[in-house]
Amino acid sequence: MKTLIKLSVLIAALSFTGTTQAQAPTFGQMQNMIPRDQRAINQFDVRKDTVEFKGISIDLGGAFALQFQAMNSFNDQPNGTYTASNGATITNYRLNNLENQFNLPTANMTIGAQLYDGVRVNLDLYLAARHHNETWVKGGYLQIDKLDFIKKDFLAGFMKYATIKIGQMENNYGDAHFRRSDNGSALVNPFIESNIMDSFTTEMGAEVYYNRNGFVSMFGMTNGKLNQNVTEFVPGTTTVATPDQNTTISPTILAKLGFDKQINTDLRVRLTGSLSHNSNMSGNPWGSERAGSRYYYVMSHAAYTYNATPVSNNATTDLAANATTGRFSPGFGNWFTTVMFNPFVKFKGFEFFGTIELAQGGDKKGVDEARKVNQYAGDVVYRFGTNEKFYVGARYNVVSGKLSNATDKVSVNRFESTVGWFMTKNILAKLAYTSQSYNDYSQFSGNSLNDLYGGKFNGLMFEAVITF
């Protein structure tokens, strides 16, 4: 009798397990998702595919990047102890010497789910980053490619070409951010660093795409905030210099229009123009990235004194304290309007990608003239070998404009050459040489010396990337 009872319990348990497994979510059956391996190269915006919906499915992925840096920094500031040209007494000034050493390894994690036919959710995390060493949520969004959850084939003719994204997510401004390194996710970037003026932010909002027969379009709107909160916005104190303070934070308007066509088996042509505008800004789209630059502590100084006032070392063990070395931010304080044009041509193994970014903005509402900052970048990459597993490339990038209406125009230029090897479609090794120069920066900055005065850094970097 006991044996019969045990056998009955065992059969019931196995039956329950089978039922549970039959109802359990599958893994990797995701719709309309850009792959995270080599196939993601030169994939822009969103895409449609024909993956069948087979119930709830889970997506789990990760990315890892590690660099070995061998960089040197220089400028035209005199070193040591002396009396500067403005009469200031300088004690022990010098730029930091940088070791040839490994940077902090960076890592990303992606968690997602296919919730319904044409509906999936995505969450991205930074497990380790230069700017946020701890685990940090980059953002997440809901992507809708069908409206069948309302009614079968609801607006099917429109949704065949349309996609809706909603969430706290990476703003789709321009095409350059689809070829940049995103912390540990660096497989799509043939180089090691992103543009000098790196346009990247995450804000709460929605984007609507409509792509058909080579026509590319997107319209989006966000609440203009990088950090979400519901606290009252309190205007600043009115002064003679700032008589008309902001009384609110405005939404950011995003738009993209272009053409993308595979002309034949050898030739693909893409050209897009993008717009981003905010009339009462809260976040800064050129200074809101949570990962940090790849060029660790270039152009940073050791501790010194300026007229007996201590100036601390700005290369500290706290990586978040100075995370954007090597980059440029226009630093608009009140409003901005910026447009970006991105031509892309791929002919067999040859690729050309360009960036023309024309930004203007103001620091104070209604009392200062708009100042302009322009960025131009162009890269040429040649991919060869089986499945284009090898590549060589070069990029030139220049930014010029005014940091404020009280300063003269400055410029920064960078040349970067690169070679790469896809060991597998998920593993990439890169080696790059970089030379970057700073022009027309003033010698003094407030009560300190300007590290960028006659500044330059150059050297080699090696990067290993794993993405899955």
Side-chain angles (χ1 to χ4, degrees):
M1 184 68 178
K2 290 182 178 180
T3 302
L4 182 60
I5 293 174
K6 289 180 180 180
L7 183 60
S8 300
V9 171
L10 179 60
I11 292 172
L14 290 173
S15 299
F16 177 76
T17 301
T19 303
T20 302
Q21 289 177 345
Q23 296 176 348
T26 59
F27 284 88
Q29 192 74 11
M30 309 299 293
Q31 296 178 320
N32 307 314
M33 187 176 76
I34 296 175
R36 287 185 289 269
D37 57 29
Q38 188 180 0
R39 294 170 294 171
I41 294 173
N42 300 326
Q43 296 286 331
F44 303 95
D45 301 318
V46 296
R47 75 166 193 168
K48 297 278 192 176
D49 58 36
T50 57
V51 174
E52 183 182 357
F53 177 68
K54 296 182 178 180
I56 293 178
S57 187
I58 304 300
D59 175 50
L60 180 64
F64 174 87
L66 173 66
Q67 307 88 39
F68 183 87
Q69 177 173 306
M71 290 280 184
N72 294 304
S73 300
F74 314 90
N75 66 16
D76 290 341
Q77 298 283 12
N79 290 348
T81 301
Y82 58 93
T83 300
S85 60
N86 67 345
T89 300
I90 309 300
T91 306
N92 296 328
Y93 175 83
R94 67 174 176 85
L95 291 179
N96 284 304
N97 295 316
L98 303 179
E99 291 186 351
N100 298 340
Q101 193 53 270
F102 289 99
N103 289 332
L104 171 76
T106 56
N108 293 17
M109 184 178 184
T110 298
I111 304 171
Q114 190 72 43
L115 303 175
Y116 199 79
D117 191 9
V119 181
R120 67 178 179 87
V121 66
N122 188 85
L123 176 67
D124 293 314
L125 300 91
Y126 293 151
L127 302 184
R130 179 180 175 184
H131 192 212
H132 284 75
N133 316 137
E134 73 282 13
T135 298
W136 192 270
V137 176
K138 171 193 170 183
Y141 59 85
L142 185 72
Q143 179 170 318
I144 302 172
D145 288 280
K146 292 182 180 180
L147 297 175
D148 287 12
F149 59 90
I150 298 176
K151 180 182 178 182
K152 179 65 175 175
D153 293 332
F154 184 75
L155 294 180
F158 174 75
M159 294 304 297
K160 181 179 179 180
Y161 307 101
T163 295
I164 303 168
K165 290 177 69 174
I166 305 170
Q168 168 89 16
M169 58 190 177
E170 181 178 334
N171 287 9
N172 185 5
Y173 163 61
D175 284 353
H177 71 116
F178 292 105
R179 284 170 66 91
R180 70 186 296 279
S181 295
D182 184 18
N183 199 47
S185 180
L187 208 72
V188 297
N189 186 356
F191 302 89
I192 290 182
E193 174 60 329
S194 308
N195 284 342
I196 297 172
M197 196 164 79
D198 187 30
S199 307
F200 178 95
T201 188
T202 57
E203 296 174 357
M204 182 68 71
E207 297 171 347
V208 179
Y209 298 78
Y210 191 84
N211 301 335
R212 182 174 184 177
N213 298 329
F215 173 75
V216 176
S217 66
M218 184 279 300
F219 178 79
M221 181 179 294
T222 78
N223 69 347
K225 289 186 176 185
L226 174 69
N227 297 311
Q228 304 306 318
N229 61 73
V230 295
T231 57
E232 177 187 6
F233 180 83
V234 180
T237 303
T238 298
T239 66
V240 174
T242 57
D244 190 10
Q245 293 287 325
N246 281 352
T247 57
T248 186
I249 294 174
S250 296
T252 299
I253 306 299
L254 301 164
K256 180 180 289 188
L257 189 65
F259 173 84
D260 188 346
K261 193 76 171 180
Q262 190 73 43
I263 307 299
N264 54 46
T265 56
D266 294 331
L267 178 63
R268 177 186 174 188
V269 176
R270 178 180 171 95
L271 175 64
T272 62
S274 302
L275 166 74
S276 180
H277 168 76
N278 190 296
S279 58
N280 297 280
M281 60 190 288
S282 170
N284 181 351
W286 299 275
S288 298
E289 202 229 356
R290 304 303 181 92
S293 81
R294 287 294 198 246
Y295 302 134
Y296 282 57
Y297 294 140
V298 294
M299 307 308 302
S300 64
H301 60 252
Y304 69 98
T305 60
Y306 184 97
N307 279 341
T309 300
V311 181
S312 60
N313 188 327
N314 61 352
T316 67
T317 54
D318 178 11
L319 296 178
N322 192 11
T324 59
T325 47
R327 291 184 181 168
F328 177 99
S329 172
F332 300 131
N334 183 263
W335 67 273
F336 69 86
T337 299
T338 180
V339 294
M340 182 185 292
F341 301 96
N342 296 112
F344 171 71
V345 178
K346 182 174 176 61
F347 179 72
K348 296 185 177 180
F350 285 95
E351 294 176 6
F352 169 78
F353 182 82
T355 297
I356 301 172
E357 186 172 15
L358 310 175
Q360 64 174 332
D363 300 326
K364 306 165 188 175
K365 186 175 182 180
V367 299
D368 64 335
E369 295 180 0
R371 56 185 176 88
K372 299 179 180 180
V373 177
N374 299 329
Q375 174 170 235
Y376 305 94
D379 69 64
V380 177
V381 176
Y382 176 61
R383 303 182 188 273
F384 59 98
T386 305
N387 297 322
E388 297 186 339
K389 65 190 298 184
F390 303 105
Y391 67 82
V392 296
R395 178 174 62 191
Y396 185 74
N397 187 184
V398 60
V399 174
S400 62
K402 299 178 71 175
L403 292 170
S404 74
N405 279 317
T407 64
D408 294 327
K409 187 176 181 180
V410 300
S411 66
V412 186
N413 59 70
R414 177 193 297 161
F415 171 79
E416 185 175 0
S417 59
T418 182
V419 295
W421 171 32
F422 279 92
M423 301 166 62
T424 75
K425 67 179 183 178
N426 298 89
I427 305 174
L428 172 63
K430 316 176 194 176
L431 179 66
Y433 171 79
T434 298
S435 177
Q436 181 162 315
S437 300
Y438 297 83
N439 308 296
D440 302 318
Y441 278 79
S442 62
Q443 185 175 2
F444 306 98
S445 177
N447 293 321
S448 64
L449 297 175
N450 191 340
D451 297 326
L452 305 183
Y453 174 65
K456 180 178 181 179
F457 67 86
N458 56 36
L460 290 169
M461 288 194 75
F462 170 80
E463 181 171 57
V465 183
I466 301 172
T467 304
F468 60 91

